[in-house]
Amino acid sequence: MSDSTATTTDLDVRLEKHRVELTGYCYRMLGSSFEAEDAVQDTMVRAWRSYEKFEGRSSLRSWLYRIATNVCLDMLTAGNKRARPMDLTESTPLAQAALSPRPDNTWLEPMPDSRVLPTTDDPAETAVAKESVRLAFMAALQQLPPKQRAVLILREVLAWKASEVAELLGTTVASVNSALQRARATLAERQQPGGDAVVSDPLDEEQQKLLERYVAAFEGYDMTALTALLHEDAVMTMPPFDLWLTGVKDITGFMTTLGAPCAGSHLVPVQVNGLPGFAQYKPDPEKGGFTPWAVQVLEISDGRITGFHCFLDTQRWFPLFDLPLHLEAEADQVEEGV
């Protein structure tokens, strides 16, 4: 192996060590799983091409974050703010429910934990990282102007010093502190539904039992059992449709009418957005077995399910989660991620 090849290989290895945390950063900035991965790939290519100009005045990690920030800010110049259904419309009574899709770039997208949460031995660091990719916090971030968003993530999530953020953004410490203060004020004013979700890491015994009861209720399509698990003000969303429902009666009513084909589904556990979730497969009447239907993300508070979010574009989401696009009838033997 030549020296140049060895150097190239070494640089590739050094860059790859930062891929997961950079993907998490870009995901928080952009609100899109696929745009985040594109942004990180662009960052890696730019870093590889310009590495000879990197003078080492900052760490390689800081340099990569500077590149990634510029990539994200460029991508955000179009002004698109990704959202959840409840950020765009009022809750719809079941009697008026209609499934109206909006374009993909409207929606805040789900993300597997493994792609955005670096492994760490620090429980407190892990907790902050998980909280910062939860749907409610991600939706709140999208309300901030791009540079305020970057400042808040770097300071509050990644615990950078104000001086480090100022250097990265090419501005002053005073400007960084002012941006952070404005960002905090905006988030405080806009309390997001789901923001009170409380999930232990790992799940405590009560939460684990709640999920086990949920799986039994959903797979059995037992609305009485499901009613006992849902908070009275629980919210259900189904991107790409802008419809969202509030309250146990409307949610279970939807599931037994428009959602009736989901009866007999099978759920496979996934870790998504720092929250418990499931890949939902519904019966496949043509091939037999089960076909993908949704990635479900659950928000939990005070022993009840408060948020029930179903992302329906399975041709995009299931490969992202390394999930098969068909399950045989012996689905109860399938483990997560098979």
Side-chain angles (χ1 to χ4, degrees):
M1 183 182 291
S2 66
D3 288 345
S4 61
T5 303
T7 301
T8 299
T9 303
D10 175 62
L11 179 58
D12 287 341
V13 170
R14 293 173 65 200
L15 293 177
E16 282 300 318
K17 287 180 180 177
H18 299 283
R19 182 176 291 274
V20 173
E21 65 170 307
L22 286 172
T23 304
Y25 175 63
C26 293
Y27 175 59
R28 295 178 184 100
M29 285 290 292
L30 301 170
S32 164
S33 319
F34 296 103
E35 286 184 3
E37 297 199 328
D38 289 345
V40 172
Q41 193 57 35
D42 191 1
T43 297
M44 296 297 189
V45 170
R46 292 190 192 189
W48 200 90
R49 287 176 176 169
S50 59
Y51 185 70
E52 290 183 358
K53 299 176 184 177
F54 174 53
E55 299 175 354
R57 287 179 297 195
S58 63
S59 68
L60 177 64
R61 179 173 181 258
S62 297
W63 183 58
L64 288 171
Y65 269 93
R66 180 181 294 114
I67 298 172
T69 300
N70 289 332
V71 170
C72 289
L73 292 177
D74 287 345
M75 293 175 73
L76 288 167
T77 52
N80 181 49
K81 293 181 180 179
R82 289 180 176 266
R84 301 173 300 168
M86 64 274 276
D87 302 321
L88 302 178
T89 64
E90 295 297 322
S91 176
T92 305
L94 178 60
Q96 300 170 19
L99 298 178
S100 305
R102 294 202 188 191
D104 289 340
N105 64 3
T106 305
W107 304 115
L108 185 64
E109 297 179 346
M111 185 63 121
D113 286 0
S114 60
R115 290 182 182 253
V116 292
L117 300 178
T119 54
T120 173
D121 295 328
D122 184 344
E125 192 176 318
T126 299
V128 169
K130 284 197 167 188
E131 288 171 7
S132 68
V133 293
R134 289 180 183 164
L135 295 174
F137 185 76
M138 289 287 298
L141 283 177
Q142 304 306 302
Q143 303 299 319
L144 301 175
K147 285 196 175 179
Q148 282 186 31
R149 201 179 307 175
V151 168
L152 185 84
I153 296 166
L154 291 165
R155 291 282 286 119
E156 304 260 294
V157 178
L158 301 176
W160 284 39
K161 297 176 181 176
S163 57
E164 294 171 328
V165 178
E167 183 179 354
L168 181 147
L169 294 175
T171 187
T172 64
V173 169
S175 177
V176 166
N177 289 336
S178 175
L180 179 60
Q181 189 174 11
R182 293 197 303 275
R184 285 172 173 166
T186 299
L187 296 194
E189 288 172 6
R190 304 190 182 193
Q191 182 66 29
Q192 296 288 322
D196 58 350
V198 179
V199 181
S200 302
D201 183 37
L203 295 176
D204 62 31
E205 185 177 358
E206 181 185 3
Q207 291 167 347
Q208 192 61 54
K209 287 181 177 178
L210 175 65
L211 293 182
E212 290 169 0
R213 291 169 63 199
Y214 170 76
V215 171
F218 193 93
E219 291 187 342
Y221 231 57
D222 182 340
M223 295 301 121
T224 300
L226 191 61
T227 295
L229 305 179
L230 293 172
H231 190 278
E232 61 181 8
D233 296 323
V235 168
M236 180 181 183
T237 67
M238 292 162 283
F241 302 116
D242 57 14
L243 170 73
W244 63 284
L245 302 166
T246 305
V248 176
K249 186 176 180 181
D250 277 2
I251 291 173
T252 56
F254 178 89
M255 291 175 68
T256 53
T257 53
L258 291 174
C262 290
S265 289
H266 178 71
L267 300 181
V268 176
V270 294
Q271 297 298 316
V272 50
N273 286 85
L275 293 164
F278 296 93
Q280 178 193 344
Y281 291 83
K282 70 175 184 176
D284 188 336
E286 296 180 4
K287 298 180 182 177
F290 298 84
T291 189
W293 183 246
V295 170
Q296 302 180 357
V297 185
L298 302 186
E299 292 167 336
I300 299 171
S301 182
D302 296 328
R304 295 288 183 94
I305 295 169
T306 56
F308 174 49
H309 307 289
C310 303
F311 293 89
L312 304 181
D313 192 350
T314 55
Q315 294 299 314
R316 301 175 78 212
W317 305 133
F318 276 54
L320 183 71
F321 283 79
D322 296 323
L323 291 160
L325 292 175
H326 184 79
L327 290 184
E328 298 303 328
E330 297 81 12
D332 57 337
Q333 299 175 8
V334 174
E335 297 181 355
E336 175 183 349
V338 171

